[in-house]
Amino acid sequence: MDPMQKMWLSMIALLIMGLSVVLVTFARSKTKGALRMGLSFVAFMMMLVGFIAGLASIT
């Protein structure tokens, strides 16, 4: 992977992690019940994907 691809991959990983933080903040402040749990789960999965993409950009 060339340096430009690594840069774009790391930027995408940061964007995904940032969106997951916004989603979990929204879920915890504005929703209740099963919707809250579902949105938090989706945010956790997004954070995991962002983490894996970030690791891929390092190697």
Side-chain angles (χ1 to χ4, degrees):
M1 188 180 309
D2 68 346
M4 285 301 286
Q5 287 176 333
K6 286 184 178 186
M7 181 199 72
W8 284 112
L9 185 58
S10 66
M11 295 296 266
I12 290 169
L14 284 171
L15 178 67
I16 290 172
M17 285 193 260
L19 287 174
S20 72
V21 168
V22 170
L23 184 60
V24 79
T25 302
F26 172 76
R28 291 187 179 181
S29 66
K30 302 287 184 186
T31 61
K32 294 182 180 179
L35 182 61
R36 180 181 190 177
M37 195 166 73
L39 288 175
S40 294
F41 179 75
V42 169
F44 176 73
M45 288 294 126
M46 288 173 65
M47 184 67 77
L48 190 61
V49 168
F51 175 72
I52 291 170
L55 280 179
S57 72
I58 291 173
T59 59

